[in-house]
Amino acid sequence: MNIGAVAAASGVSAKMIRHYEKIGLLGASARSTAGYRQYGERDVQTLHFVRHARDLGFPLEQIGQLLSLWQDTGRSSAEVKCLAEAHLQDLDARIHKLSAMRDTLATLARNCCGDERPDCPILDGLAASAQLDDGPKREPSR
Amino acid sequence: MNIGAVAAASGVSAKMIRHYEKIGLLGASARSTAGYRQYGERDVQTLHFVRHARDLGFPLEQIGQLLSLWQDTGRSSAEVKCLAEAHLQDLDARIHKLSAMRDTLATLARNCCGDERPDCPILDGLAASAQLDDGPKREPSR
DNA sequence: GGTTGACCTTCCCATGATGGGAAGCTTTAG
DNA sequence: CTAAAGCTTCCCATCATGGGAAGGTCAACC
């Protein structure tokens, strides 16, 4: 199988397959006499695995660790779970950060009437010297 | 005020201030005879604004638009609100994407006993040819 | 046999926001 | 006067992905 065929079969682009090889995530494949990369079914499986891990947001470095564990029949599932839990925490942290942004911005936007007049609580909020915060916005006192 | 002082006053690093100038987000500042950038109170305000917008996750290009609107007293608040709403949608999309990842991974991890044995639903899930999905995992049939 | 088009190779560049660090000049404090 | 701190520009790195160029290869069709 040439690289285009594995790419189609695995859902990982040829460009990325070459890249993963270059950074050492994947081992170097066999080559045809003309220098074309040659792949087999097993490589399709591996790339599927990589794609799924990527779809879950794992960074490539951790995908490499997951691949190693996957191929190591002497692994303990605790090692895998540990990686997964760490990534879950990372995802949670990112979600919370984005949610805080969204809530703050939503509060500002809610107070903006969005008409032809220039007065705008959104701009006022951005210009305010204090930290933006998803606070009440009515009764800012106390 | 030199760049270090505005950086400290605004919370935007000197490195970033130079970068924002280079990409045109900020106009070029005055320079001292020695070539040092010179800033005033007004620049501190502007950088505060930029920092707050950045803290809400706005991309720099949109921050530029917000800055223009802020400085345009003939603006309509509708224009600002439109930018904000678009960014809210972007934030929501990202949050949903991350939440889907988290839910799928959490489901896989929940089924992994995390002990010394090699059997691991997380790896099985990643290796599965089907799309990963936050499905039931018990009774995968039907 | 020759041509064409699809496919492969490597290499360089770009994204977006941020930072590290080098080499060299300026200002300030002791 | 000297040393430290601050400034300048320029290059490189991140992370994952892709675009595109220049050139070689393979298969199919006439």
Side-chain angles (χ1 to χ4, degrees), chain A residues 52-102:
Chain A
H52 289 149
R54 207 186 51 179
D55 287 347
L56 290 182
F58 280 100
L60 292 184
E61 188 175 343
Q62 289 184 33
I63 294 178
Q65 297 176 29
L66 287 170
L67 268 181
S68 298
L69 288 169
W70 185 44
Q71 283 150 4
D72 171 14
T73 54
R75 69 182 169 250
S76 61
S77 60
E79 297 176 85
V80 183
K81 191 164 187 170
C82 180
L83 274 176
E85 301 279 12
H87 185 49
L88 274 174
Q89 289 197 4
D90 183 46
L91 288 173
D92 276 329
R94 285 199 266 162
I95 290 167
H96 288 142
K97 211 169 189 175
L98 290 175
S99 297
M101 291 177 184
R102 184 198 50 190

Side-chain angles (χ1 to χ4, degrees), chain B residues 33-52:
Chain B
T33 52
Y36 283 24
R37 288 174 179 80
Q38 299 297 138
Y39 298 95
E41 275 309 314
R42 191 196 161 92
D43 300 299
V44 177
Q45 304 292 320
T46 304
L47 283 165
H48 254 290
F49 184 98
V50 170
R51 181 165 70 83
H52 289 149

Side-chain angles (χ1 to χ4, degrees), chain B residues 13 15-16 19-20 34 36 54 59-60:
Chain B
S13 74
K15 207 97 193 195
M16 280 302 99
H19 180 58
Y20 293 163
Y36 283 24
R54 206 186 51 180
L60 294 184

Side-chain angles (χ1 to χ4, degrees), chain A residues 2-141:
Chain A
N2 284 342
I3 199 169
V6 234
S10 67
V12 178
S13 73
K15 206 98 193 195
M16 282 300 101
I17 297 174
R18 293 193 197 99
H19 180 58
Y20 293 164
E21 179 185 315
K22 188 166 53 179
I23 66 174
L25 179 64
L26 305 175
S29 71
R31 298 287 185 128
S32 73
T33 51
Y36 283 22
R37 289 175 179 79
Q38 299 296 139
Y39 299 95
E41 274 309 315
R42 190 193 162 93
D43 299 299
V44 176
Q45 303 291 320
T46 303
L47 283 166
H48 254 289
F49 184 98
V50 170
R51 181 165 70 84
H52 289 149
R54 207 186 51 179
D55 287 347
L56 290 182
F58 280 100
L60 292 184
E61 188 175 343
Q62 289 184 33
I63 294 178
Q65 297 176 29
L66 287 170
L67 268 181
S68 298
L69 288 169
W70 185 44
Q71 283 150 4
D72 171 14
T73 54
R75 69 182 169 250
S76 61
S77 60
E79 297 176 85
V80 183
K81 191 164 187 170
C82 180
L83 274 176
E85 301 279 12
H87 185 49
L88 274 174
Q89 289 197 4
D90 183 46
L91 288 173
D92 276 329
R94 285 199 266 162
I95 290 167
H96 288 142
K97 211 169 189 175
L98 290 175
S99 297
M101 291 177 184
R102 184 198 50 190
D103 293 345
T104 302
L105 184 56
T107 300
L108 291 177
R110 208 177 310 122
N111 287 289
C112 175
C113 47
D115 56 17
E116 78 290 346
R117 288 171 302 172
D119 311 276
C120 178
I122 301 171
L123 294 178
D124 293 346
L126 290 172
S129 51
Q131 287 295 348
L132 286 176
D133 173 350
D134 184 29
K137 183 66 205 286
R138 297 286 135 196
E139 297 292 322
S141 65

